[in-house]
Amino acid sequence: MPTPAHDPPQVPQVPSAVPPVPVPPVYGAPVHAPPVAPAAPASFVRRVLPPLGVLAGIASAWTYVALVDPNETGHYPVCPLYWLTGLYCPACGGLRSAYAVAHGDPFTALGANALAVLGYAVFAVVWVVWVVRAGRGMPVRITLGPVWWWSLGAVVLLFTVIRNLPFGSSLAP
């Protein structure tokens, strides 16, 4: 004779104060999100605010360097690498080169730190591209592959080594 099926006792459901934790979707499973209305295009001013904010920060730093001469001792801290070892780091002379650029003396700037002057020029070009693309509402992302980053590191390392050798003294600040 078959035995009657016993149902487990019913536990009353009590509302919880803690909301349930959402379970993330399984990889590859379709995610059904509610339709989202397309965002209104940002205004021209809103699109160019980030590059203009960066420009304001850079301009204030350059103004300070232009007003406070790094060639006079006591205004800026000494490079820690130079202070500890007597070796020039890749940035040594960067403030003096910025001061010279701010005062319209490119040859003195190149003599203080040629790599920094090149960096200033690259930054200026990238900033202009950023402003133009942002103003037109185009994507602004600039991606560089690992080869570019390794090449940049190699150039900085080579510059640093050469400027600390006797035959590279023309690159020293």
Side-chain angles (χ1 to χ4, degrees):
M1 169 173 237
T3 59
H6 294 287
D7 288 333
Q10 294 292 335
V11 179
Q13 296 291 331
V14 178
S16 173
V18 178
V21 176
V23 179
V26 178
Y27 179 76
V31 178
H32 300 288
V36 178
S43 69
F44 175 79
V45 173
R46 192 170 185 88
R47 289 191 309 259
V48 297
L49 270 178
L52 292 179
V54 169
L55 179 64
I58 298 293
S60 63
W62 275 72
T63 301
Y64 181 79
V65 172
L67 295 175
V68 181
D69 189 358
N71 295 306
E72 296 177 16
T73 58
H75 294 288
Y76 298 97
V78 177
C79 173
L81 182 70
Y82 182 75
W83 181 69
L84 290 171
T85 65
L87 297 174
Y88 297 116
C89 77
C92 280
L95 285 174
R96 285 173 278 186
S97 71
Y99 179 82
V101 168
H103 288 273
D105 191 359
F107 296 111
T108 302
L110 286 169
N113 191 327
L115 191 61
V117 174
L118 179 64
Y120 306 149
V122 168
F123 176 80
V125 169
V126 169
W127 185 85
V128 168
V129 169
W130 184 15
V131 169
V132 168
R133 291 180 68 89
R136 292 180 178 171
M138 300 169 65
V140 203
R141 185 174 197 137
I142 299 173
T143 57
L144 297 175
V147 169
W148 288 99
W149 291 112
W150 282 102
S151 299
L152 177 64
V155 166
V156 170
L157 180 65
L158 190 63
F159 175 76
T160 305
V161 170
I162 291 175
R163 77 188 312 207
N164 283 293
L165 294 173
F167 64 86
S169 61
S170 63
L171 294 176

